[in-house]
Amino acid sequence: MAFLFHPIPSQRPMSSMLVPVYALFVLCCFCSLLFGAGSVSPMDAVQVLLGQGTDEAIFVVHELRLPRTIIGLIAGVCLGVSGVLMQSVTRNPLAEPGLLGVSAGSAFSVALALALGMSVATLPIELAQVGALVGCFFVIGIAKLQGQRNDPIRLVLAGAALTSLLTALTSLLLMYNEFAADEIRFWITGSIAGKRFDQLVEVVPSLVIASLCSLYIVRPLASLILGENVAIGLGYRPQRVRLIVVFVVALLVGTSTAIAGPIIFVGLVVPFVARALVGTDIRRTLWLCLPLGPLMIISADILSRLIAQPTEMPLGVLTAIIGAPVLLLIVRAQRLPTL
């Protein structure tokens, strides 16, 4: 795991990377308002942004494209930050919420709620967060983090097993409940289409709590990365730090899954790119993941609208297409042991 926790010889200045990344992020958000699969053209959208435009264009930009852009921003931040935290606490560059079954646990809890008669529009966000929390504890418990060296192969296998089990259970639920199947069919592959502003109100408390906890654990987690003895010598409690990280990851992944579905590979690709740009210090990578996560989600969402017109391709399909080669690259670079 030297790639993740030893300094990169030529770390670039933080400011030189933040400015272009944030500029690209703002441009991507602007493009998200301009492009879509419907009849409203980019020029029509520009007229709306200038305070003019037809009623149809105003409705599409304000009620359809703007909410999904903001949802994409929130989901991207949640997945990017949760990926950095999970990889840091497990000391494993393959530790991504989607690969480790955390997103699957969140998705299963949502599917169970839908099978019991709820709808996606009225779904309590706490259900997705509880499912993510259970998935976190299951996988990390198998990995035996406390006082032992982590085995990346065991961690990934545990996540794969949990994902397969929960995916199978989710399929069984949908097979015997036609209403739930109709509700979840597009959501299960990951999508930020059709979102409303009132859905953002529910996620605000979770985001505030997760943000405060993340600020609290950044310094202890940076010392824990150097080893438990170092963290203890600095006065931190490694077990407490890990529990807080698990709690924060559950909040973030549950929030993202509830509003956008189980989108995989974002928590893997974003930290990988951030470390390549600014080095391995978690305090630097976290700042860069804030725009990189939304940048990946929103840009993939724009492509999903354009490449399958007049319909849309599921967002999760595109993130998987992007993330799978990155996963292979990381595995090859790490030279992980084979079974």
Side-chain angles (χ1 to χ4, degrees):
M1 301 300 120
F3 165 80
L4 186 56
F5 299 103
H6 287 283
I8 293 178
S10 59
Q11 290 187 358
R12 300 177 183 178
M14 187 67 177
S15 58
S16 67
M17 296 310 306
L18 280 179
V19 173
V21 170
Y22 271 98
L24 188 60
F25 162 66
V26 172
L27 177 63
C28 188
C29 291
F30 182 69
C31 291
S32 180
L33 299 178
L34 299 185
F35 297 97
S39 59
V40 176
S41 67
M43 290 305 301
D44 295 332
V46 169
Q47 292 295 320
V48 173
L49 296 179
L50 294 176
Q52 303 173 11
T54 64
D55 292 340
E56 179 187 4
I58 293 174
F59 174 81
V60 169
V61 173
H62 289 171
E63 302 298 329
L64 298 181
R65 295 180 184 175
L66 181 59
R68 71 188 294 174
T69 301
I70 297 176
I71 292 290
L73 188 156
I74 294 174
V77 168
C78 289
L79 292 175
V81 171
S82 64
V84 173
L85 294 178
M86 182 164 282
Q87 290 177 12
S88 299
V89 78
T90 60
R91 298 173 62 85
N92 184 356
L94 299 180
E96 192 265 342
L99 292 178
L100 297 188
V102 182
S103 297
S106 186
F108 173 73
S109 64
V110 171
L112 182 60
L114 294 176
L116 294 176
M118 294 185 181
S119 66
V120 173
T122 60
L123 188 71
I125 193 173
E126 293 78 11
L127 289 175
Q129 292 168 344
V130 169
L133 188 63
V134 172
C136 279
F137 277 118
F138 181 86
V139 174
I140 293 179
I142 292 179
K144 298 180 180 179
L145 294 180
Q146 187 172 8
Q148 299 186 28
R149 180 180 175 85
N150 300 319
D151 183 352
I153 295 297
R154 178 179 298 179
L155 192 67
V156 173
L157 288 178
L162 178 64
T163 299
S164 299
L165 174 62
L166 294 178
T167 301
L169 293 176
T170 301
S171 299
L172 284 176
L173 286 175
L174 301 181
M175 183 182 300
Y176 291 102
N177 192 308
E178 185 176 345
F179 170 77
D182 291 337
E183 282 276 304
I184 206 173
R185 182 178 292 115
F186 196 70
W187 176 88
I188 198 68
T189 56
S191 174
I192 58 176
K195 305 301 178 181
R196 306 184 312 275
F197 279 116
D198 56 5
Q199 293 175 284
L200 300 176
V201 178
E202 281 192 78
V203 308
V204 172
S206 297
L207 294 178
V208 171
I209 295 173
S211 300
L212 294 177
C213 291
S214 298
L215 292 174
Y216 173 76
I217 63 172
V218 165
R219 189 179 296 273
L221 188 56
S223 65
L224 184 60
I225 291 173
L226 300 176
E228 287 203 6
N229 292 334
V230 175
I232 294 173
L234 293 174
Y236 301 119
R237 299 181 180 179
Q239 185 62 15
R240 176 185 293 180
V241 174
R242 292 190 182 103
L243 288 175
I244 295 176
V245 169
V246 170
F247 175 70
V248 172
V249 169
L251 281 180
L252 294 175
V253 175
T255 299
S256 173
T257 304
I259 62 177
I263 302 174
I264 63 172
F265 285 121
V266 176
L268 176 74
V269 174
V270 169
F272 177 79
V273 174
R275 286 192 299 270
L277 293 176
V278 297
T280 58
D281 190 335
I282 186 174
R283 290 162 292 190
R284 297 163 64 92
T285 55
L286 271 176
W287 276 108
L288 197 58
C289 284
L290 293 178
L292 281 178
L295 182 60
M296 180 176 177
I297 291 284
I298 296 175
S299 59
D301 182 55
I302 295 173
L303 288 176
S304 72
R305 309 177 206 174
L306 299 179
I307 63 179
Q309 294 191 39
T311 60
E312 295 186 11
M313 179 179 290
L315 175 61
V317 174
L318 283 176
T319 59
I321 292 174
I322 297 172
V326 176
L327 174 61
L328 295 176
L329 179 62
I330 295 175
V331 171
R332 181 177 177 83
Q334 297 306 311
R335 296 181 178 87
L336 296 174
T338 56
L339 296 176

